[in-house]
Amino acid sequence: MHLQQPLRASAALAPECFLRSFVSGAPLGLMTLSAPVFASAPRPDLMHRAILYETAWRRQGTEASKTLGQVRGTTRKPFPQKGRGKARVGTLRAAQFVGGYAVHGPKPGPRLPDIQRKVYDAAVRSALSTKFLQNQLVVVDSLCDTLPAAAYKSALMDRIAALGLLGKKIYFMYGNQSVDAAVGLTRCADMFTIKKPTETAHGFGERRLLVSSADLVSVTPVLENEFLVVDKAAIERLEEMYHVD
Protein backbone atom coordinates (compact mmCIF):
# COMPACT_ATOMS: atom_id res chain seq x y z
CA MET A 1 0.00 0.00 0.00
CA HIS A 2 1.34 3.39 -0.96
CA LEU A 3 1.49 5.75 2.00
CA GLN A 4 0.08 9.21 1.62
CA GLN A 5 3.04 11.55 1.83
CA PRO A 6 1.75 15.00 2.84
CA LEU A 7 0.34 14.93 6.35
CA ARG A 8 0.16 18.61 7.20
CA ALA A 9 0.84 21.57 4.95
CA SER A 10 -1.17 24.43 6.36
CA ALA A 11 0.04 27.92 7.09
CA ALA A 12 0.06 27.34 10.86
CA LEU A 13 1.74 23.91 10.82
CA ALA A 14 5.00 22.98 9.16
CA PRO A 15 4.63 20.38 6.37
CA GLU A 16 5.52 16.84 7.31
CA CYS A 17 6.01 13.61 5.40
CA PHE A 18 6.93 10.01 6.10
CA LEU A 19 10.63 9.11 6.13
CA ARG A 20 10.81 5.64 4.60
CA SER A 21 13.47 3.00 4.27
CA PHE A 22 14.83 2.65 0.74
CA VAL A 23 15.53 -1.04 1.35
CA SER A 24 12.20 -2.21 2.79
CA GLY A 25 9.90 0.74 2.15
CA ALA A 26 8.78 0.73 5.77
CA PRO A 27 8.13 4.10 7.44
CA LEU A 28 10.89 5.12 9.84
CA GLY A 29 9.19 8.20 11.25
CA LEU A 30 8.06 11.69 10.35
CA MET A 31 10.20 14.38 8.79
CA THR A 32 9.47 18.09 8.94
CA LEU A 33 10.00 19.97 5.70
CA SER A 34 10.63 23.62 5.00
CA ALA A 35 7.35 25.35 4.15
CA PRO A 36 8.85 27.89 1.70
CA VAL A 37 10.53 25.10 -0.29
CA PHE A 38 7.97 22.28 -0.21
CA ALA A 39 4.64 23.89 0.69
CA SER A 40 4.56 27.21 -1.12
CA ALA A 41 1.72 28.15 -3.45
CA PRO A 42 2.51 26.76 -6.94
CA ARG A 43 3.14 29.38 -9.61
CA PRO A 44 2.39 27.90 -13.05
CA ASP A 45 3.53 31.09 -14.76
CA LEU A 46 7.00 30.90 -13.21
CA MET A 47 7.32 27.19 -13.94
CA HIS A 48 6.36 27.88 -17.56
CA ARG A 49 9.08 30.52 -17.87
CA ALA A 50 11.64 28.16 -16.34
CA ILE A 51 10.68 25.34 -18.73
CA LEU A 52 11.04 27.67 -21.72
CA TYR A 53 14.47 28.70 -20.45
CA GLU A 54 15.62 25.10 -19.93
CA THR A 55 14.28 24.01 -23.32
CA ALA A 56 16.11 26.86 -25.07
CA TRP A 57 19.28 26.09 -23.11
CA ARG A 58 19.29 22.49 -24.42
CA ARG A 59 19.07 23.57 -28.05
CA GLN A 60 22.27 23.51 -30.09
CA GLY A 61 21.58 26.89 -31.66
CA THR A 62 23.05 25.81 -35.01
CA GLU A 63 19.88 25.97 -37.12
CA ALA A 64 20.25 28.16 -40.19
CA SER A 65 18.59 28.84 -43.55
CA LYS A 66 20.17 30.11 -46.76
CA THR A 67 19.83 33.64 -48.04
CA LEU A 68 19.41 34.57 -51.71
CA GLY A 69 23.16 34.74 -52.25
CA GLN A 70 23.71 31.31 -50.69
CA VAL A 71 21.11 29.33 -52.62
CA ARG A 72 22.54 27.31 -55.50
CA GLY A 73 20.98 27.98 -58.88
CA THR A 74 21.09 29.98 -62.07
CA THR A 75 21.48 33.73 -62.12
CA ARG A 76 19.79 34.06 -65.52
CA LYS A 77 16.70 36.22 -65.70
CA PRO A 78 13.97 33.65 -66.44
CA PHE A 79 11.45 35.86 -68.24
CA PRO A 80 11.42 39.23 -69.99
CA GLN A 81 10.78 42.21 -67.79
CA LYS A 82 7.77 43.37 -69.85
CA GLY A 83 5.25 41.97 -72.27
CA ARG A 84 3.93 38.90 -70.41
CA GLY A 85 1.15 40.59 -68.46
CA LYS A 86 2.46 39.01 -65.27
CA ALA A 87 4.60 40.07 -62.35
CA ARG A 88 8.26 40.65 -63.08
CA VAL A 89 10.66 37.85 -62.07
CA GLY A 90 14.31 38.56 -61.51
CA THR A 91 15.56 35.15 -60.35
CA LEU A 92 14.37 31.60 -59.94
CA ARG A 93 16.02 31.51 -56.53
CA ALA A 94 13.36 33.85 -55.09
CA ALA A 95 11.39 32.75 -52.06
CA GLN A 96 8.16 32.06 -53.99
CA PHE A 97 9.80 29.33 -56.08
CA VAL A 98 10.59 25.77 -55.03
CA GLY A 99 14.23 25.61 -54.00
CA GLY A 100 14.42 29.33 -53.29
CA TYR A 101 15.77 31.05 -50.22
CA ALA A 102 13.89 31.42 -46.92
CA VAL A 103 12.62 34.82 -45.92
CA HIS A 104 13.56 35.80 -42.35
CA GLY A 105 14.78 32.27 -41.67
CA PRO A 106 16.62 31.12 -38.53
CA LYS A 107 20.24 32.03 -37.99
CA PRO A 108 22.84 30.50 -35.65
CA GLY A 109 23.22 32.11 -32.28
CA PRO A 110 21.97 31.93 -28.68
CA ARG A 111 18.32 32.79 -28.13
CA LEU A 112 17.91 32.22 -24.41
CA PRO A 113 14.91 33.96 -22.85
CA ASP A 114 15.80 36.36 -20.10
CA ILE A 115 15.00 35.03 -16.62
CA GLN A 116 16.21 36.33 -13.27
CA ARG A 117 17.86 34.03 -10.80
CA LYS A 118 15.26 34.67 -8.10
CA VAL A 119 12.49 33.91 -10.60
CA TYR A 120 14.12 30.59 -11.51
CA ASP A 121 14.59 29.71 -7.83
CA ALA A 122 10.90 30.47 -7.22
CA ALA A 123 10.03 28.15 -10.11
CA VAL A 124 12.07 25.34 -8.53
CA ARG A 125 10.27 25.86 -5.22
CA SER A 126 6.94 25.78 -7.06
CA ALA A 127 7.86 22.50 -8.79
CA LEU A 128 8.91 20.87 -5.50
CA SER A 129 5.76 22.13 -3.77
CA THR A 130 3.65 20.73 -6.61
CA LYS A 131 5.11 17.27 -6.08
CA PHE A 132 4.50 17.49 -2.34
CA LEU A 133 0.92 18.68 -2.70
CA GLN A 134 0.12 15.98 -5.29
CA ASN A 135 1.39 13.12 -3.06
CA GLN A 136 4.23 12.49 -5.50
CA LEU A 137 7.15 13.22 -3.18
CA VAL A 138 8.73 10.18 -1.51
CA VAL A 139 11.45 10.74 1.10
CA VAL A 140 13.79 7.84 1.94
CA ASP A 141 16.69 7.50 4.33
CA SER A 142 19.50 7.17 1.77
CA LEU A 143 19.88 6.53 -1.96
CA CYS A 144 23.63 5.97 -1.77
CA ASP A 145 23.54 2.50 -0.20
CA THR A 146 25.46 -0.22 -1.99
CA LEU A 147 23.26 -2.43 -4.16
CA PRO A 148 24.00 -6.15 -4.58
CA ALA A 149 26.45 -6.51 -7.45
CA ALA A 150 25.04 -9.86 -8.54
CA ALA A 151 21.69 -8.47 -9.67
CA TYR A 152 21.68 -4.68 -9.87
CA LYS A 153 18.42 -4.30 -11.76
CA SER A 154 16.40 -6.84 -9.79
CA ALA A 155 17.63 -5.37 -6.50
CA LEU A 156 16.54 -1.88 -7.50
CA MET A 157 13.24 -3.21 -8.81
CA ASP A 158 12.58 -4.85 -5.45
CA ARG A 159 13.18 -1.55 -3.68
CA ILE A 160 10.90 0.29 -6.10
CA ALA A 161 8.22 -2.34 -5.48
CA ALA A 162 8.61 -1.86 -1.72
CA LEU A 163 7.84 1.84 -2.23
CA GLY A 164 4.79 0.97 -4.33
CA LEU A 165 6.15 2.66 -7.45
CA LEU A 166 6.47 -0.20 -9.94
CA GLY A 167 5.77 0.92 -13.49
CA LYS A 168 6.06 4.60 -12.57
CA LYS A 169 8.35 7.21 -14.07
CA ILE A 170 10.69 8.08 -11.19
CA TYR A 171 13.25 10.80 -10.61
CA PHE A 172 15.80 9.79 -7.94
CA MET A 173 17.58 12.71 -6.28
CA TYR A 174 20.41 12.21 -3.78
CA GLY A 175 22.07 14.80 -1.60
CA ASN A 176 25.55 13.35 -1.13
CA GLN A 177 27.99 15.67 -2.90
CA SER A 178 30.62 12.98 -3.47
CA VAL A 179 31.41 12.18 -7.10
CA ASP A 180 30.88 8.43 -6.67
CA ALA A 181 28.03 8.74 -4.17
CA ALA A 182 25.31 7.07 -6.22
CA VAL A 183 27.30 5.32 -8.95
CA GLY A 184 25.55 2.02 -8.20
CA LEU A 185 22.08 3.58 -8.41
CA THR A 186 23.00 5.35 -11.64
CA ARG A 187 24.30 2.11 -13.15
CA CYS A 188 21.07 0.35 -12.22
CA ALA A 189 18.88 3.14 -13.60
CA ASP A 190 20.63 2.90 -16.97
CA MET A 191 19.42 -0.70 -17.27
CA PHE A 192 15.76 0.32 -17.28
CA THR A 193 13.98 0.80 -20.60
CA ILE A 194 10.39 1.34 -21.71
CA LYS A 195 8.37 -1.90 -21.63
CA LYS A 196 4.66 -2.64 -21.72
CA PRO A 197 2.97 -4.42 -18.79
CA THR A 198 2.67 -7.56 -20.92
CA GLU A 199 6.43 -7.60 -21.48
CA THR A 200 7.40 -7.79 -17.79
CA ALA A 201 7.03 -10.55 -15.22
CA HIS A 202 5.43 -8.35 -12.56
CA GLY A 203 2.83 -6.92 -14.96
CA PHE A 204 3.41 -3.25 -14.13
CA GLY A 205 5.47 -2.26 -17.14
CA GLU A 206 8.83 -0.55 -17.05
CA ARG A 207 9.79 3.10 -17.41
CA ARG A 208 13.09 4.90 -17.70
CA LEU A 209 14.60 6.22 -14.46
CA LEU A 210 16.47 9.46 -13.86
CA VAL A 211 19.16 9.90 -11.21
CA SER A 212 20.89 13.15 -10.33
CA SER A 213 22.28 15.14 -7.46
CA ALA A 214 20.21 17.74 -5.63
CA ASP A 215 22.72 20.34 -6.83
CA LEU A 216 21.54 19.70 -10.42
CA VAL A 217 17.82 20.05 -9.77
CA SER A 218 15.78 21.69 -12.54
CA VAL A 219 12.11 22.28 -13.17
CA THR A 220 11.54 20.14 -16.28
CA PRO A 221 12.54 16.69 -14.93
CA VAL A 222 10.75 17.33 -11.63
CA LEU A 223 7.47 17.93 -13.46
CA GLU A 224 7.98 15.36 -16.24
CA ASN A 225 8.44 12.39 -13.90
CA GLU A 226 5.50 11.00 -11.98
CA PHE A 227 7.28 10.59 -8.64
CA LEU A 228 10.20 12.36 -7.05
CA VAL A 229 12.17 10.09 -4.71
CA VAL A 230 14.65 12.03 -2.59
CA ASP A 231 16.77 11.02 0.36
CA LYS A 232 17.19 12.88 3.62
CA ALA A 233 20.47 14.47 2.52
CA ALA A 234 18.80 15.81 -0.63
CA ILE A 235 16.03 17.39 1.44
CA GLU A 236 18.60 19.16 3.57
CA ARG A 237 20.52 20.29 0.48
CA LEU A 238 17.39 21.64 -1.24
CA GLU A 239 16.34 23.52 1.88
CA GLU A 240 19.82 24.99 2.14
CA MET A 241 19.81 26.20 -1.48
CA TYR A 242 16.23 27.42 -1.85
CA HIS A 243 15.13 28.47 1.63
CA VAL A 244 13.75 32.00 1.91
CA ASP A 245 12.81 33.91 5.03
Side-chain angles (χ1 to χ4, degrees):
M1 180 182 297
H2 180 63
L3 296 174
Q4 296 294 326
Q5 296 302 314
L7 296 181
R8 299 182 295 179
S10 62
L13 301 175
E16 294 181 344
C17 67
F18 284 108
L19 177 64
R20 306 175 64 179
S21 172
F22 186 50
V23 177
S24 63
L28 303 177
L30 293 178
M31 185 172 182
T32 303
L33 305 177
S34 173
V37 180
F38 293 97
S40 61
R43 291 284 304 273
D45 56 332
L46 299 185
M47 289 187 285
H48 176 66
R49 289 183 59 184
I51 291 175
L52 291 180
Y53 174 79
E54 293 173 358
T55 304
W57 183 78
R58 288 197 297 266
R59 294 195 185 103
Q60 285 185 317
T62 57
E63 64 273 20
S65 61
K66 293 183 178 181
T67 62
L68 177 61
Q70 295 172 333
V71 175
R72 183 179 178 181
T74 180
T75 59
R76 179 181 61 86
K77 185 174 177 63
F79 307 107
Q81 182 78 353
K82 296 179 178 294
R84 295 196 311 142
K86 297 182 180 181
R88 55 193 175 186
V89 179
T91 175
L92 290 177
R93 296 176 297 159
Q96 67 266 30
F97 295 108
V98 177
Y101 77 101
V103 181
H104 306 301
K107 293 298 176 184
R111 285 186 293 274
L112 292 178
D114 186 21
I115 184 172
Q116 295 178 338
R117 181 67 192 187
K118 62 180 181 180
V119 175
Y120 186 81
D121 291 347
V124 174
R125 287 190 291 267
S126 295
L128 296 175
S129 300
T130 300
K131 287 300 177 184
F132 176 78
L133 296 175
Q134 292 180 347
N135 298 347
Q136 295 177 337
L137 177 67
V138 181
V139 183
V140 297
D141 49 358
S142 177
L143 292 174
C144 299
D145 297 335
T146 303
L147 294 170
Y152 277 117
K153 185 175 181 179
S154 61
L156 181 57
M157 191 169 295
D158 292 340
R159 298 188 180 188
I160 294 176
L163 296 175
L165 303 179
L166 270 181
K168 304 297 182 180
K169 196 174 181 181
I170 308 174
Y171 179 16
F172 290 99
M173 187 183 301
Y174 60 92
N176 195 327
Q177 298 180 354
S178 176
V179 177
D180 300 329
V183 61
L185 179 61
T186 305
R187 186 182 296 113
C188 294
D190 291 339
M191 300 178 183
F192 282 73
T193 58
I194 300 177
K195 293 183 180 179
K196 298 179 180 179
T198 56
E199 299 175 348
T200 58
H202 48 74
F204 285 95
E206 186 175 303
R207 305 292 295 275
R208 295 186 184 275
L209 305 179
L210 178 63
V211 181
S212 76
S213 171
D215 294 329
L216 304 177
V217 61
S218 56
V219 177
T220 302
V222 172
L223 297 179
E224 281 183 346
N225 293 274
E226 296 180 68
F227 283 87
L228 177 62
V229 179
V230 298
D231 59 8
K232 186 177 179 181
I235 292 290
E236 297 173 352
R237 182 60 179 163
L238 291 172
E239 291 179 350
E240 177 185 354
M241 293 189 299
Y242 297 103
H243 178 76
V244 291
D245 297 327

